[in-house]
Amino acid sequence: MKSNYTIRRLNSPFDDSGIFVRNVYMKKALLFDCGRLGNIDNSEINDISHVFISHTHIDHFSGFDRFLRTALLSGNKITFFGPSGFINNVKGKLASYTWNLIYDYDITFIVIELSENGMKGAEFAAKNGFKEESFTVNNNHLILNDDFSLEYEFFDHGTISAGYRIKEPKRISINKDKMEEYGFVKGPWVKLLKEALLYNKSNDIINVNTVYGIKQYYINELAENLAEYPVCQDITYITDIAPSFSNYKKAVKLAKDSYILLIESVFMNNDVIHAIEKNHLSIGVSKAVYKNSNSTYVSFGHFAPKYDRMRDVFFQELYTDLDMDKIIKLELNR
């Protein structure tokens, strides 16, 4: 199956967290975490519609200032998601600057704060001097661009760290070879057929272009002969979580059957005590989440900087017993 994603890590995997994501079915780009924004152009930053912040340790949120500076004249409306306290985090960033000359700018930040007790939202618009304006959040705010949707989970990291799953919408494809075999000709009916199947209108009748002229068919008859249902390619992002059994279970559940899993693997197994002290995953636990979630592909990252000078040893332990065809090799690049 061809991947719908283009994914780029913005820094060395031994450096700050930030992963830039595009999907062929989504017009805009996504960003997982916002540490130092290294390998990314300003034009790409201005093409991001949603940012998903795990938590606001400096290596995950220091890039907000560059993001703000770049987007200031873009006229964009950008949505940031983050865990409990996140609205105040963004508010504090914006409050650190003087904004007396930006009231005619059209940039707006929508901030959605996620917690065990529900969601709350705040809007920060340049036209209002980036003053906080609270609003009520509902599940519609979890619908992203182009009918993609968001799921999330909370993990213990000494603080709360949010994990995210971006879910592709259900898609219908029509087999062109089968169309030709049955004498069907491309026309407006193809779109009508897809829409009818998406909205469960299988008993409807539509007019179909054929080599013999226009004929009427039941949707369910066409679907049986022509329709294909590609597997949704969900992508899951999990980082900065303690190596506890509770976190492990929640990580496996969030990532279950993901097409791509992006997960931290901070410490080697012989440093497991350090992993426990620092509330990060060891290689063994990261690999267990990947294997037991039944994710198709994986990219490991957020490696402890001390392993940068012993990469061969680190990667040997990380990739032992894994199918390298299932590894997205973001972590092999600097």
Side-chain angles (χ1 to χ4, degrees), residues 117-296:
N117 298 321
M119 301 179 287
K120 57 183 178 179
E123 180 175 298
F124 298 89
K127 65 182 180 181
N128 296 322
F130 288 126
K131 293 180 180 177
E132 178 184 354
E133 297 178 88
S134 299
F135 63 88
T136 302
V137 180
N138 57 48
N139 286 337
N140 289 333
H141 290 93
L142 301 181
I143 305 300
L144 312 178
N145 302 329
D146 306 296
D147 293 326
F148 284 68
S149 60
L150 174 67
E151 291 183 353
Y152 56 90
E153 182 58 271
F154 303 110
F155 300 95
D156 174 32
H157 179 52
T159 185
I160 299 299
S161 183
Y164 299 99
R165 179 176 181 140
I166 310 300
K167 297 180 67 66
E168 274 196 346
K170 180 182 176 182
R171 302 194 184 282
I172 311 291
S173 62
I174 304 302
N175 190 309
K176 295 180 181 179
D177 293 334
K178 291 289 186 180
M179 279 180 57
E180 184 176 346
E181 178 183 335
Y182 286 103
F184 297 133
V185 179
K186 186 177 180 181
W189 67 273
V190 175
K191 181 179 180 181
L192 293 175
L193 173 59
K194 290 181 179 181
E195 290 176 350
L197 292 174
L198 286 173
Y199 294 103
N200 298 314
K201 298 179 179 179
S202 58
N203 293 322
D204 287 5
I205 297 174
I206 60 172
N207 294 321
V208 177
N209 301 84
T210 78
V211 293
Y212 308 107
I214 294 177
K215 294 189 174 185
Q216 291 189 328
Y217 287 87
Y218 281 101
I219 294 292
N220 54 11
E221 180 184 0
L222 294 169
E224 184 178 343
N225 294 320
L226 304 176
E228 297 177 346
Y229 302 87
V231 175
C232 293
Q233 294 186 12
D234 295 356
I235 185 169
T236 300
Y237 178 69
I238 298 172
T239 192
D240 288 64
I241 73 174
S244 66
F245 187 55
S246 173
N247 275 347
Y248 164 77
K249 289 192 296 182
K250 289 193 287 187
V252 169
K253 183 178 179 181
L254 181 64
K256 193 67 176 175
D257 297 323
S258 291
Y259 184 71
I260 294 173
L261 171 61
L262 308 171
I263 188 168
E264 75 162 16
S265 189
V266 181
F267 291 103
M268 294 183 69
N269 292 326
N270 62 1
D271 278 338
V272 64
I273 299 302
H274 203 182
I276 294 169
E277 291 175 344
K278 294 295 186 180
N279 293 305
H280 279 291
L281 295 185
S282 63
I283 284 176
V285 180
S286 299
K287 290 165 71 170
V289 172
Y290 164 53
K291 292 176 181 178
N292 290 300
S293 69
N294 197 40
S295 297
T296 305

Side-chain angles (χ1 to χ4, degrees), residues 18-215:
I19 300 180
F20 181 75
V21 176
R22 289 189 183 276
N23 183 292
V24 295
Y25 294 107
M26 185 180 279
K27 296 181 181 68
K28 291 286 190 175
L30 309 174
L31 183 66
F32 288 118
D33 269 334
C34 192
R36 186 177 68 84
L37 298 181
N39 183 25
I40 187 169
D41 297 333
N42 287 347
S43 61
E44 292 175 315
I45 290 175
N46 283 333
D47 206 31
I48 294 168
S49 62
H50 291 79
V51 182
F52 306 92
I53 303 296
S54 59
H55 62 302
T56 53
H57 282 165
I58 193 168
D59 55 332
H60 294 260
F61 197 49
S62 64
F64 182 85
D65 293 282
R66 182 187 167 194
F67 197 110
L68 170 62
R69 183 66 186 92
T70 301
L72 200 55
L73 293 172
S74 67
N76 289 341
K77 181 176 286 189
I78 305 137
T79 301
F80 279 72
F81 290 89
S84 182
F86 187 57
I87 289 175
N88 279 335
N89 295 139
V90 175
K91 182 179 180 180
K93 284 278 194 180
L94 294 170
S96 66
Y97 296 99
T98 302
W99 297 115
N100 61 305
L101 301 177
I102 50 85
Y103 293 101
D104 58 342
Y105 293 4
D106 201 25
I107 179 73
T108 300
F109 293 99
I110 304 296
V111 182
I112 308 293
E113 182 174 308
L114 309 168
S115 76
E116 299 281 6
N117 298 321
M119 301 179 287
K120 57 183 178 179
E123 180 175 298
F124 298 89
K127 65 182 180 181
N128 296 322
F130 288 126
K131 293 180 180 177
E132 178 184 354
E133 297 178 88
S134 299
F135 63 88
T136 302
V137 180
N138 57 48
N139 286 337
N140 289 333
H141 290 93
L142 301 181
I143 305 300
L144 312 178
N145 302 329
D146 306 296
D147 293 326
F148 284 68
S149 60
L150 174 67
E151 291 183 353
Y152 56 90
E153 182 58 271
F154 303 110
F155 300 95
D156 174 32
H157 179 52
T159 185
I160 299 299
S161 183
Y164 299 99
R165 179 176 181 140
I166 310 300
K167 297 180 67 66
E168 274 196 346
K170 180 182 176 182
R171 302 194 184 282
I172 311 291
S173 62
I174 304 302
N175 190 309
K176 295 180 181 179
D177 293 334
K178 291 289 186 180
M179 279 180 57
E180 184 176 346
E181 178 183 335
Y182 286 103
F184 297 133
V185 179
K186 186 177 180 181
W189 67 273
V190 175
K191 181 179 180 181
L192 293 175
L193 173 59
K194 290 181 179 181
E195 290 176 350
L197 292 174
L198 286 173
Y199 294 103
N200 298 314
K201 298 179 179 179
S202 58
N203 293 322
D204 287 5
I205 297 174
I206 60 172
N207 294 321
V208 177
N209 301 84
T210 78
V211 293
Y212 308 107
I214 294 177
K215 294 189 174 185

Side-chain angles (χ1 to χ4, degrees), residues 302-327:
H302 204 28
F303 310 140
K306 68 177 183 177
Y307 300 125
D308 197 5
R309 58 183 179 270
M310 47 184 291
R311 288 185 169 213
D312 290 346
V313 176
F314 182 82
F315 287 135
Q316 175 64 33
E317 180 172 303
L318 180 63
Y319 295 127
T320 295
D321 75 11
L322 294 179
D323 180 354
M324 289 303 293
D325 289 335
K326 301 298 183 181
I327 305 297

